[in-house]
Amino acid sequence: MGEPDLTRGLELFDQRRFFDAHEALEDLWREAVGPERRFLQGLIQVAVGLHHYSTGNIAGARSLVKRGEAKLAEYPEVFLGLDVHELRQAIHTWLAAVERGQPPSPLPRLARKSGTMPALVTRSTTAQESARAAVEQVPLLDLTRQYAHIRTEVMAAIERVCSSQHFILGEEVRSLERELASYCAASSAVGCASGTDALWLMLLAAGVEPGDEVITTPFSFFASTSAILRAGARPVYADIDPRTLNLDPEAVEQRIQRQPSAKLKCVLIVHLYGQCANMDQFLRLGTQYKLTVLEDAAQAIGAGWRGRRAGSLGAAAAFSFYPTKNLGAYGDAGCVTTVDPGVAEQVRLLRHHGSRERYFHEALGWNSRLDALQAAILRVKLKHLEKWNAERRQRAATYDRLFQEAGLGMPGAAPGESPSHPVALPYTQPEAHHVFHQYVIRAKRRDELRAYLAKRGVGTEIYYPLPLHLQKCLTYLGHGDGNFPEAERAAKEVLALPMFPELTEAEQAYVVDTIADFFS
Ligand SMILES: *Cc1c(COP(=O)(O)O)cnc(C)c1O
């Protein structure tokens, strides 16, 4: 410990490799104590701030560099062999330029003032303990960490597309479509402009017509329902399973038996938060009641059911590559996967103005093409997806363990099964391979807890605060409070915690500790 690591961190800093510099400095800081520890924390904040600046996150950059500056202000002009005075002045000038919206000049090299440097004083706490104590905030999602790891690959892909000057559909999109179909074990994938478009075009291609009914969940993102309405059909709701928060097949069957309807053509299931709905039951219902089973797999790329992948479980599936999804583009993008060549052909036609031959239109389609830049970026990221999904699953297991250790929740218990615990942890069906797009707890006094976490720097979100059947623009469907009580109860209790592959255990411990403080 000591000198070698600081040298490494400073070298990386001088090479403007700020993300790597922060990692090297952090290794050192874990072992440091007292004033040196705080000094290193200041340097790390400056490094991370400069990293944010390089990725275009100006607000994040400004706030972190300022916090680093405040810490460094407490130190003498020379500390740990560094010219702190010069560094402070340079930070001041840098911040002033950023505040004025001008491009700042780079910071000076962290020149060593004295040839030798004192060894750092370290103590014998575990690295884990000190990392835990140092966390001050945990974002719900931080995409810049992922970008720092794949930047070179992404830039090369963008360069490839720009050199080709071929931006719409083309070879990049065809290659991505082959790779996605293979990943999902579907026979085809067809790229679209967004997940919402993919849902809509999938419904049209599956033969949904004006006046038809599609049975679906009231507890999802709005697009699951709006796509049905855009296709001219009517969404019919059934309540959710309180354990998985996915559409409940028993509720679907009860609804079909209570109100049989010749117009009911499809069931659109949503694999919420990254966990597949109960496919055994939905495939049975599909056969028994002659319903086409369609998947909204926007949150579930890589998820599985009995060893089969989302995207090839029903007749067709829609995926979203919205930037925050498990596989996210750098803009809007989506696709339809299917095991039915007729459906693939139809989506291909509809996404391109219903035209096979230019200026001849055989169907009323739309422009919903995927562009080559997004496809090229998605091809880079698809190669990492298995690893990232595995890391999400591992983070979910860590949350489970930390909650159990803190006495807050019981892994595997259904809501209401362990009433002595203030938190219900996510429930995973044994047949499901959950990819944890979100890690969602159900909590007592949820809104108070959320405000408490926000004050302590923990980002959370509520997916979703108002079930679809109660949305203002859908009141004409005639639903009201109490129609789908499980969906309504979930909307009042769910809370999504920070979840992404690069989340550290120290950050997770901070989240759980803070929740423990709230309930103590
Ligand atoms: C994200 C999402 C969509 C919509 O995808 P976009 O690409 O944003 O249009 C649809 N359904 C669900 C469940 C989603 O999470």
Side-chain angles (χ1 to χ4, degrees), residues 192-199 217 219-227 268-273 296-300 318-325 331-335 437 463-464:
C192 302
S194 71
T196 305
D197 278 9
L199 279 165
T217 171
F219 195 63
S220 175
F221 179 60
F222 183 64
S224 318
T225 277
S226 67
L268 176 64
I269 50 179
V270 180
H271 304 315
L272 199 68
Y273 307 146
D296 178 343
Q299 302 184 1
F319 287 94
S320 163
F321 305 124
Y322 185 77
T324 62
K325 300 287 158 85
D332 275 310
C335 87
H437 173 56
Y463 307 109
Y464 295 91

mmCIF file of all heavy atoms in Angstrom, residues 192-199 217 219-227 268-273 296-300 318-325 331-335 437 463-464, ligand 1:
data_model
loop_
_atom_site.group_PDB
_atom_site.id
_atom_site.type_symbol
_atom_site.label_atom_id
_atom_site.label_comp_id
_atom_site.label_asym_id
_atom_site.label_seq_id
_atom_site.Cartn_x
_atom_site.Cartn_y
_atom_site.Cartn_z
ATOM 1 N N CYS A 192 -37.324 -2.171 -35.104
ATOM 2 C CA CYS A 192 -38.314 -1.096 -35.217
ATOM 3 C C CYS A 192 -37.759 0.158 -34.537
ATOM 4 O O CYS A 192 -36.729 0.108 -33.875
ATOM 5 C CB CYS A 192 -39.615 -1.465 -34.509
ATOM 6 S SG CYS A 192 -40.368 -2.965 -35.106
ATOM 7 N N ALA A 193 -38.511 1.248 -34.661
ATOM 8 C CA ALA A 193 -38.032 2.517 -34.130
ATOM 9 C C ALA A 193 -38.117 2.620 -32.609
ATOM 10 O O ALA A 193 -37.427 3.430 -32.003
ATOM 11 C CB ALA A 193 -38.806 3.663 -34.779
ATOM 12 N N SER A 194 -38.972 1.816 -31.982
ATOM 13 C CA SER A 194 -39.090 1.856 -30.518
ATOM 14 C C SER A 194 -39.794 0.585 -30.051
ATOM 15 O O SER A 194 -40.362 -0.154 -30.862
ATOM 16 C CB SER A 194 -39.900 3.073 -30.059
ATOM 17 O OG SER A 194 -41.269 2.895 -30.392
ATOM 18 N N GLY A 195 -39.816 0.384 -28.755
ATOM 19 C CA GLY A 195 -40.544 -0.744 -28.195
ATOM 20 C C GLY A 195 -42.053 -0.573 -28.366
ATOM 21 O O GLY A 195 -42.775 -1.538 -28.590
ATOM 22 N N THR A 196 -42.486 0.674 -28.234
ATOM 23 C CA THR A 196 -43.915 0.955 -28.401
ATOM 24 C C THR A 196 -44.360 0.597 -29.818
ATOM 25 O O THR A 196 -45.390 -0.055 -30.017
ATOM 26 C CB THR A 196 -44.184 2.452 -28.115
ATOM 27 O OG1 THR A 196 -43.672 2.754 -26.817
ATOM 28 C CG2 THR A 196 -45.653 2.766 -28.165
ATOM 29 N N ASP A 197 -43.589 1.023 -30.810
ATOM 30 C CA ASP A 197 -43.894 0.651 -32.203
ATOM 31 C C ASP A 197 -43.853 -0.859 -32.382
ATOM 32 O O ASP A 197 -44.684 -1.430 -33.086
ATOM 33 C CB ASP A 197 -42.874 1.278 -33.162
ATOM 34 C CG ASP A 197 -43.208 2.726 -33.494
ATOM 35 O OD1 ASP A 197 -44.114 3.284 -32.855
ATOM 36 O OD2 ASP A 197 -42.552 3.277 -34.396
ATOM 37 N N ALA A 198 -42.874 -1.512 -31.766
ATOM 38 C CA ALA A 198 -42.748 -2.967 -31.910
ATOM 39 C C ALA A 198 -44.021 -3.648 -31.398
ATOM 40 O O ALA A 198 -44.539 -4.576 -32.030
ATOM 41 C CB ALA A 198 -41.522 -3.466 -31.148
ATOM 42 N N LEU A 199 -44.553 -3.167 -30.263
ATOM 43 C CA LEU A 199 -45.794 -3.735 -29.725
ATOM 44 C C LEU A 199 -46.950 -3.560 -30.705
ATOM 45 O O LEU A 199 -47.704 -4.488 -30.984
ATOM 46 C CB LEU A 199 -46.162 -3.040 -28.399
ATOM 47 C CG LEU A 199 -45.456 -3.500 -27.138
ATOM 48 C CD1 LEU A 199 -45.664 -2.485 -26.016
ATOM 49 C CD2 LEU A 199 -45.983 -4.869 -26.715
ATOM 50 N N THR A 217 -52.538 -7.038 -18.809
ATOM 51 C CA THR A 217 -52.385 -6.653 -17.402
ATOM 52 C C THR A 217 -52.654 -5.162 -17.184
ATOM 53 O O THR A 217 -52.243 -4.338 -18.006
ATOM 54 C CB THR A 217 -50.965 -6.986 -16.893
ATOM 55 O OG1 THR A 217 -50.787 -6.415 -15.587
ATOM 56 C CG2 THR A 217 -49.895 -6.422 -17.811
ATOM 57 N N PHE A 219 -51.194 -3.629 -14.822
ATOM 58 C CA PHE A 219 -50.027 -3.155 -14.069
ATOM 59 C C PHE A 219 -48.782 -3.286 -14.942
ATOM 60 O O PHE A 219 -48.050 -4.263 -14.888
ATOM 61 C CB PHE A 219 -49.865 -3.967 -12.783
ATOM 62 C CG PHE A 219 -48.937 -3.329 -11.787
ATOM 63 C CD1 PHE A 219 -49.228 -2.097 -11.225
ATOM 64 C CD2 PHE A 219 -47.760 -3.957 -11.417
ATOM 65 C CE1 PHE A 219 -48.369 -1.506 -10.308
ATOM 66 C CE2 PHE A 219 -46.890 -3.371 -10.498
ATOM 67 C CZ PHE A 219 -47.203 -2.134 -9.946
ATOM 68 N N SER A 220 -48.584 -2.253 -15.785
ATOM 69 C CA SER A 220 -47.452 -2.249 -16.708
ATOM 70 C C SER A 220 -47.199 -0.826 -17.130
ATOM 71 O O SER A 220 -47.925 0.099 -16.738
ATOM 72 C CB SER A 220 -47.784 -3.099 -17.939
ATOM 73 O OG SER A 220 -46.745 -3.018 -18.907
ATOM 74 N N PHE A 221 -46.183 -0.648 -17.964
ATOM 75 C CA PHE A 221 -45.975 0.643 -18.604
ATOM 76 C C PHE A 221 -47.125 0.886 -19.584
ATOM 77 O O PHE A 221 -47.676 -0.056 -20.161
ATOM 78 C CB PHE A 221 -44.622 0.664 -19.321
ATOM 79 C CG PHE A 221 -44.355 1.964 -20.033
ATOM 80 C CD1 PHE A 221 -44.305 3.153 -19.325
ATOM 81 C CD2 PHE A 221 -44.177 1.995 -21.407
ATOM 82 C CE1 PHE A 221 -44.092 4.353 -19.988
ATOM 83 C CE2 PHE A 221 -43.959 3.197 -22.068
ATOM 84 C CZ PHE A 221 -43.913 4.373 -21.361
ATOM 85 N N PHE A 222 -47.467 2.139 -19.769
ATOM 86 C CA PHE A 222 -48.626 2.553 -20.567
ATOM 87 C C PHE A 222 -48.664 1.931 -21.969
ATOM 88 O O PHE A 222 -49.732 1.632 -22.512
ATOM 89 C CB PHE A 222 -48.622 4.090 -20.660
ATOM 90 C CG PHE A 222 -49.786 4.673 -21.387
ATOM 91 C CD1 PHE A 222 -51.073 4.538 -20.900
ATOM 92 C CD2 PHE A 222 -49.592 5.369 -22.577
ATOM 93 C CE1 PHE A 222 -52.160 5.085 -21.573
ATOM 94 C CE2 PHE A 222 -50.667 5.922 -23.255
ATOM 95 C CZ PHE A 222 -51.952 5.781 -22.750
ATOM 96 N N ALA A 223 -47.477 1.725 -22.571
ATOM 97 C CA ALA A 223 -47.429 1.274 -23.980
ATOM 98 C C ALA A 223 -48.082 -0.087 -24.181
ATOM 99 O O ALA A 223 -48.595 -0.366 -25.273
ATOM 100 C CB ALA A 223 -45.987 1.245 -24.471
ATOM 101 N N SER A 224 -48.088 -0.954 -23.177
ATOM 102 C CA SER A 224 -48.718 -2.267 -23.345
ATOM 103 C C SER A 224 -50.190 -2.089 -23.723
ATOM 104 O O SER A 224 -50.716 -2.819 -24.548
ATOM 105 C CB SER A 224 -48.664 -3.101 -22.059
ATOM 106 O OG SER A 224 -47.435 -3.013 -21.432
ATOM 107 N N THR A 225 -50.827 -1.111 -23.102
ATOM 108 C CA THR A 225 -52.238 -0.850 -23.390
ATOM 109 C C THR A 225 -52.413 0.058 -24.600
ATOM 110 O O THR A 225 -53.264 -0.177 -25.458
ATOM 111 C CB THR A 225 -52.924 -0.231 -22.153
ATOM 112 O OG1 THR A 225 -53.300 -1.298 -21.264
ATOM 113 C CG2 THR A 225 -54.176 0.537 -22.521
ATOM 114 N N SER A 226 -51.586 1.099 -24.719
ATOM 115 C CA SER A 226 -51.806 2.066 -25.810
ATOM 116 C C SER A 226 -51.585 1.398 -27.158
ATOM 117 O O SER A 226 -52.255 1.743 -28.140
ATOM 118 C CB SER A 226 -50.918 3.295 -25.642
ATOM 119 O OG SER A 226 -49.565 2.969 -25.805
ATOM 120 N N ALA A 227 -50.685 0.413 -27.235
ATOM 121 C CA ALA A 227 -50.461 -0.281 -28.506
ATOM 122 C C ALA A 227 -51.717 -1.045 -28.922
ATOM 123 O O ALA A 227 -52.061 -1.099 -30.110
ATOM 124 C CB ALA A 227 -49.269 -1.234 -28.380
ATOM 125 N N LEU A 268 -51.946 -10.508 -24.273
ATOM 126 C CA LEU A 268 -50.646 -9.817 -24.293
ATOM 127 C C LEU A 268 -50.103 -9.846 -22.868
ATOM 128 O O LEU A 268 -50.572 -9.125 -21.996
ATOM 129 C CB LEU A 268 -50.794 -8.366 -24.773
ATOM 130 C CG LEU A 268 -49.507 -7.533 -24.730
ATOM 131 C CD1 LEU A 268 -48.444 -8.070 -25.681
ATOM 132 C CD2 LEU A 268 -49.785 -6.066 -25.022
ATOM 133 N N ILE A 269 -49.110 -10.714 -22.640
ATOM 134 C CA ILE A 269 -48.526 -10.788 -21.309
ATOM 135 C C ILE A 269 -47.302 -9.876 -21.259
ATOM 136 O O ILE A 269 -46.666 -9.624 -22.281
ATOM 137 C CB ILE A 269 -48.108 -12.239 -20.957
ATOM 138 C CG1 ILE A 269 -47.268 -12.813 -22.086
ATOM 139 C CG2 ILE A 269 -49.324 -13.090 -20.667
ATOM 140 C CD1 ILE A 269 -46.795 -14.199 -21.831
ATOM 141 N N VAL A 270 -47.000 -9.369 -20.076
ATOM 142 C CA VAL A 270 -45.834 -8.507 -19.882
ATOM 143 C C VAL A 270 -44.921 -9.220 -18.899
ATOM 144 O O VAL A 270 -45.371 -9.626 -17.824
ATOM 145 C CB VAL A 270 -46.259 -7.131 -19.318
ATOM 146 C CG1 VAL A 270 -45.043 -6.241 -19.126
ATOM 147 C CG2 VAL A 270 -47.286 -6.464 -20.223
ATOM 148 N N HIS A 271 -43.663 -9.389 -19.267
ATOM 149 C CA HIS A 271 -42.704 -10.005 -18.329
ATOM 150 C C HIS A 271 -42.135 -8.882 -17.457
ATOM 151 O O HIS A 271 -41.068 -8.341 -17.747
ATOM 152 C CB HIS A 271 -41.580 -10.707 -19.089
ATOM 153 C CG HIS A 271 -42.051 -11.749 -20.060
ATOM 154 N ND1 HIS A 271 -43.017 -12.670 -19.752
ATOM 155 C CD2 HIS A 271 -41.658 -12.024 -21.334
ATOM 156 C CE1 HIS A 271 -43.203 -13.480 -20.807
ATOM 157 N NE2 HIS A 271 -42.389 -13.097 -21.770
ATOM 158 N N LEU A 272 -42.879 -8.539 -16.405
ATOM 159 C CA LEU A 272 -42.570 -7.336 -15.647
ATOM 160 C C LEU A 272 -41.268 -7.451 -14.840
ATOM 161 O O LEU A 272 -41.021 -8.484 -14.207
ATOM 162 C CB LEU A 272 -43.736 -7.036 -14.705
ATOM 163 C CG LEU A 272 -43.810 -5.613 -14.178
ATOM 164 C CD1 LEU A 272 -44.139 -4.616 -15.285
ATOM 165 C CD2 LEU A 272 -44.833 -5.507 -13.060
ATOM 166 N N TYR A 273 -40.495 -6.388 -14.859
ATOM 167 C CA TYR A 273 -39.246 -6.247 -14.091
ATOM 168 C C TYR A 273 -38.163 -7.252 -14.509
ATOM 169 O O TYR A 273 -37.134 -7.369 -13.846
ATOM 170 C CB TYR A 273 -39.475 -6.395 -12.582
ATOM 171 C CG TYR A 273 -40.532 -5.509 -11.973
ATOM 172 C CD1 TYR A 273 -41.313 -5.969 -10.917
ATOM 173 C CD2 TYR A 273 -40.730 -4.210 -12.429
ATOM 174 C CE1 TYR A 273 -42.276 -5.163 -10.329
ATOM 175 C CE2 TYR A 273 -41.689 -3.404 -11.854
ATOM 176 C CZ TYR A 273 -42.461 -3.878 -10.810
ATOM 177 O OH TYR A 273 -43.415 -3.079 -10.224
ATOM 178 N N ASP A 296 -44.977 -8.931 -24.221
ATOM 179 C CA ASP A 296 -44.299 -7.648 -24.086
ATOM 180 C C ASP A 296 -43.049 -7.961 -23.268
ATOM 181 O O ASP A 296 -43.093 -8.074 -22.043
ATOM 182 C CB ASP A 296 -45.190 -6.624 -23.375
ATOM 183 C CG ASP A 296 -44.491 -5.278 -23.181
ATOM 184 O OD1 ASP A 296 -43.246 -5.234 -23.288
ATOM 185 O OD2 ASP A 296 -45.175 -4.275 -22.911
ATOM 186 N N ALA A 297 -41.932 -8.127 -23.998
ATOM 187 C CA ALA A 297 -40.682 -8.531 -23.359
ATOM 188 C C ALA A 297 -39.728 -7.344 -23.220
ATOM 189 O O ALA A 297 -38.513 -7.519 -23.106
ATOM 190 C CB ALA A 297 -40.031 -9.660 -24.165
ATOM 191 N N ALA A 298 -40.289 -6.121 -23.202
ATOM 192 C CA ALA A 298 -39.468 -4.904 -23.152
ATOM 193 C C ALA A 298 -38.492 -4.909 -21.974
ATOM 194 O O ALA A 298 -37.393 -4.367 -22.057
ATOM 195 C CB ALA A 298 -40.368 -3.677 -23.073
ATOM 196 N N GLN A 299 -38.899 -5.521 -20.860
ATOM 197 C CA GLN A 299 -38.041 -5.501 -19.657
ATOM 198 C C GLN A 299 -37.316 -6.830 -19.467
ATOM 199 O O GLN A 299 -36.721 -7.053 -18.418
ATOM 200 C CB GLN A 299 -38.909 -5.206 -18.418
ATOM 201 C CG GLN A 299 -39.661 -3.883 -18.542
ATOM 202 C CD GLN A 299 -40.445 -3.508 -17.296
ATOM 203 O OE1 GLN A 299 -40.431 -4.227 -16.299
ATOM 204 N NE2 GLN A 299 -41.129 -2.380 -17.349
ATOM 205 N N ALA A 300 -37.381 -7.711 -20.463
ATOM 206 C CA ALA A 300 -37.002 -9.099 -20.167
ATOM 207 C C ALA A 300 -36.076 -9.734 -21.194
ATOM 208 O O ALA A 300 -36.110 -10.957 -21.365
ATOM 209 C CB ALA A 300 -38.270 -9.930 -20.021
ATOM 210 N N ALA A 318 -42.374 -8.395 -28.326
ATOM 211 C CA ALA A 318 -41.861 -7.053 -28.601
ATOM 212 C C ALA A 318 -40.807 -6.714 -27.557
ATOM 213 O O ALA A 318 -41.004 -6.938 -26.359
ATOM 214 C CB ALA A 318 -42.993 -6.036 -28.548
ATOM 215 N N PHE A 319 -39.675 -6.182 -28.030
ATOM 216 C CA PHE A 319 -38.598 -5.737 -27.143
ATOM 217 C C PHE A 319 -38.400 -4.236 -27.310
ATOM 218 O O PHE A 319 -38.615 -3.693 -28.390
ATOM 219 C CB PHE A 319 -37.273 -6.431 -27.498
ATOM 220 C CG PHE A 319 -37.231 -7.880 -27.106
ATOM 221 C CD1 PHE A 319 -37.573 -8.865 -28.023
ATOM 222 C CD2 PHE A 319 -36.856 -8.252 -25.822
ATOM 223 C CE1 PHE A 319 -37.539 -10.211 -27.659
ATOM 224 C CE2 PHE A 319 -36.813 -9.590 -25.458
ATOM 225 C CZ PHE A 319 -37.156 -10.567 -26.376
ATOM 226 N N SER A 320 -37.969 -3.602 -26.230
ATOM 227 C CA SER A 320 -37.587 -2.195 -26.276
ATOM 228 C C SER A 320 -36.097 -2.098 -26.000
ATOM 229 O O SER A 320 -35.578 -2.791 -25.125
ATOM 230 C CB SER A 320 -38.342 -1.414 -25.202
ATOM 231 O OG SER A 320 -37.702 -0.162 -24.974
ATOM 232 N N PHE A 321 -35.423 -1.216 -26.741
ATOM 233 C CA PHE A 321 -34.009 -0.939 -26.447
ATOM 234 C C PHE A 321 -33.858 0.497 -25.958
ATOM 235 O O PHE A 321 -32.841 1.146 -26.208
ATOM 236 C CB PHE A 321 -33.140 -1.207 -27.684
ATOM 237 C CG PHE A 321 -33.312 -2.599 -28.233
ATOM 238 C CD1 PHE A 321 -33.682 -2.806 -29.551
ATOM 239 C CD2 PHE A 321 -33.127 -3.703 -27.411
ATOM 240 C CE1 PHE A 321 -33.860 -4.086 -30.055
ATOM 241 C CE2 PHE A 321 -33.305 -4.990 -27.894
ATOM 242 C CZ PHE A 321 -33.674 -5.183 -29.218
ATOM 243 N N TYR A 322 -34.880 0.994 -25.287
ATOM 244 C CA TYR A 322 -34.805 2.282 -24.607
ATOM 245 C C TYR A 322 -33.528 2.263 -23.756
ATOM 246 O O TYR A 322 -33.178 1.213 -23.200
ATOM 247 C CB TYR A 322 -36.068 2.439 -23.744
ATOM 248 C CG TYR A 322 -36.186 3.772 -23.067
ATOM 249 C CD1 TYR A 322 -36.595 4.897 -23.783
ATOM 250 C CD2 TYR A 322 -35.883 3.908 -21.720
ATOM 251 C CE1 TYR A 322 -36.699 6.128 -23.156
ATOM 252 C CE2 TYR A 322 -35.975 5.141 -21.091
ATOM 253 C CZ TYR A 322 -36.379 6.243 -21.814
ATOM 254 O OH TYR A 322 -36.472 7.456 -21.194
ATOM 255 N N PRO A 323 -32.814 3.389 -23.663
ATOM 256 C CA PRO A 323 -31.478 3.355 -23.038
ATOM 257 C C PRO A 323 -31.394 2.700 -21.657
ATOM 258 O O PRO A 323 -30.349 2.144 -21.308
ATOM 259 C CB PRO A 323 -31.098 4.838 -22.964
ATOM 260 C CG PRO A 323 -31.832 5.464 -24.118
ATOM 261 C CD PRO A 323 -33.124 4.708 -24.247
ATOM 262 N N THR A 324 -32.461 2.762 -20.867
ATOM 263 C CA THR A 324 -32.359 2.210 -19.513
ATOM 264 C C THR A 324 -32.674 0.715 -19.437
ATOM 265 O O THR A 324 -32.559 0.122 -18.365
ATOM 266 C CB THR A 324 -33.336 2.928 -18.563
ATOM 267 O OG1 THR A 324 -34.660 2.704 -19.046
ATOM 268 C CG2 THR A 324 -33.061 4.420 -18.499
ATOM 269 N N LYS A 325 -33.078 0.115 -20.536
ATOM 270 C CA LYS A 325 -33.417 -1.316 -20.498
ATOM 271 C C LYS A 325 -32.140 -2.166 -20.368
ATOM 272 O O LYS A 325 -31.040 -1.664 -20.557
ATOM 273 C CB LYS A 325 -34.200 -1.700 -21.767
ATOM 274 C CG LYS A 325 -35.517 -0.917 -21.935
ATOM 275 C CD LYS A 325 -36.593 -1.380 -20.952
ATOM 276 C CE LYS A 325 -37.666 -0.336 -20.712
ATOM 277 N NZ LYS A 325 -38.762 -0.299 -21.646
ATOM 278 N N GLY A 331 -30.542 5.876 -27.888
ATOM 279 C CA GLY A 331 -31.683 6.576 -28.446
ATOM 280 C C GLY A 331 -32.834 5.584 -28.401
ATOM 281 O O GLY A 331 -32.747 4.576 -27.703
ATOM 282 N N ASP A 332 -33.901 5.867 -29.145
ATOM 283 C CA ASP A 332 -35.027 4.936 -29.189
ATOM 284 C C ASP A 332 -34.754 3.802 -30.173
ATOM 285 O O ASP A 332 -34.172 4.016 -31.231
ATOM 286 C CB ASP A 332 -36.296 5.679 -29.635
ATOM 287 C CG ASP A 332 -36.998 6.364 -28.472
ATOM 288 O OD1 ASP A 332 -37.232 5.686 -27.449
ATOM 289 O OD2 ASP A 332 -37.311 7.564 -28.584
ATOM 290 N N ALA A 333 -35.193 2.607 -29.810
ATOM 291 C CA ALA A 333 -35.086 1.446 -30.702
ATOM 292 C C ALA A 333 -35.894 0.303 -30.103
ATOM 293 O O ALA A 333 -36.171 0.297 -28.899
ATOM 294 C CB ALA A 333 -33.627 1.016 -30.872
ATOM 295 N N GLY A 334 -36.279 -0.639 -30.964
ATOM 296 C CA GLY A 334 -37.026 -1.802 -30.490
ATOM 297 C C GLY A 334 -36.987 -2.889 -31.536
ATOM 298 O O GLY A 334 -36.384 -2.713 -32.599
ATOM 299 N N CYS A 335 -37.608 -4.028 -31.249
ATOM 300 C CA CYS A 335 -37.714 -5.070 -32.273
ATOM 301 C C CYS A 335 -38.833 -6.043 -31.920
ATOM 302 O O CYS A 335 -39.298 -6.100 -30.782
ATOM 303 C CB CYS A 335 -36.399 -5.814 -32.470
ATOM 304 S SG CYS A 335 -36.148 -7.197 -31.367
ATOM 305 N N HIS A 437 -34.414 -6.604 -14.474
ATOM 306 C CA HIS A 437 -34.422 -5.250 -15.023
ATOM 307 C C HIS A 437 -34.601 -4.269 -13.858
ATOM 308 O O HIS A 437 -33.953 -3.230 -13.806
ATOM 309 C CB HIS A 437 -35.553 -5.117 -16.041
ATOM 310 C CG HIS A 437 -35.731 -3.723 -16.522
ATOM 311 N ND1 HIS A 437 -34.705 -3.010 -17.101
ATOM 312 C CD2 HIS A 437 -36.791 -2.875 -16.483
ATOM 313 C CE1 HIS A 437 -35.145 -1.798 -17.407
ATOM 314 N NE2 HIS A 437 -36.394 -1.687 -17.026
ATOM 315 N N TYR A 463 -42.512 2.014 -10.151
ATOM 316 C CA TYR A 463 -43.057 1.432 -11.393
ATOM 317 C C TYR A 463 -44.195 0.518 -10.988
ATOM 318 O O TYR A 463 -43.917 -0.591 -10.542
ATOM 319 C CB TYR A 463 -42.023 0.622 -12.151
ATOM 320 C CG TYR A 463 -40.730 1.326 -12.457
ATOM 321 C CD1 TYR A 463 -39.569 0.977 -11.794
ATOM 322 C CD2 TYR A 463 -40.673 2.326 -13.423
ATOM 323 C CE1 TYR A 463 -38.373 1.615 -12.082
ATOM 324 C CE2 TYR A 463 -39.479 2.972 -13.705
ATOM 325 C CZ TYR A 463 -38.334 2.606 -13.042
ATOM 326 O OH TYR A 463 -37.157 3.231 -13.320
ATOM 327 N N TYR A 464 -45.461 0.909 -11.006
ATOM 328 C CA TYR A 464 -46.001 2.126 -11.570
ATOM 329 C C TYR A 464 -46.973 2.678 -10.548
ATOM 330 O O TYR A 464 -47.684 1.895 -9.898
ATOM 331 C CB TYR A 464 -46.699 1.808 -12.892
ATOM 332 C CG TYR A 464 -45.675 1.324 -13.913
ATOM 333 C CD1 TYR A 464 -45.407 -0.028 -14.031
ATOM 334 C CD2 TYR A 464 -44.948 2.221 -14.685
ATOM 335 C CE1 TYR A 464 -44.430 -0.476 -14.929
ATOM 336 C CE2 TYR A 464 -43.988 1.784 -15.585
ATOM 337 C CZ TYR A 464 -43.735 0.439 -15.703
ATOM 338 O OH TYR A 464 -42.772 -0.006 -16.556
HETATM 339 C C1 LIG B 1 -40.087 0.331 -22.008
HETATM 340 C C2 LIG B 1 -41.355 -0.398 -22.169
HETATM 341 C C3 LIG B 1 -42.143 -0.284 -23.322
HETATM 342 C C4 LIG B 1 -41.935 0.754 -24.373
HETATM 343 O O1 LIG B 1 -40.718 0.801 -24.982
HETATM 344 P P1 LIG B 1 -40.187 2.131 -25.709
HETATM 345 O O2 LIG B 1 -38.973 1.638 -26.420
HETATM 346 O O3 LIG B 1 -39.899 3.130 -24.642
HETATM 347 O O4 LIG B 1 -41.226 2.615 -26.664
HETATM 348 C C5 LIG B 1 -43.247 -1.096 -23.430
HETATM 349 N N1 LIG B 1 -43.589 -1.963 -22.463
HETATM 350 C C6 LIG B 1 -42.878 -2.073 -21.336
HETATM 351 C C7 LIG B 1 -43.305 -3.067 -20.300
HETATM 352 C C8 LIG B 1 -41.744 -1.290 -21.138
HETATM 353 O O5 LIG B 1 -41.056 -1.403 -19.994
#
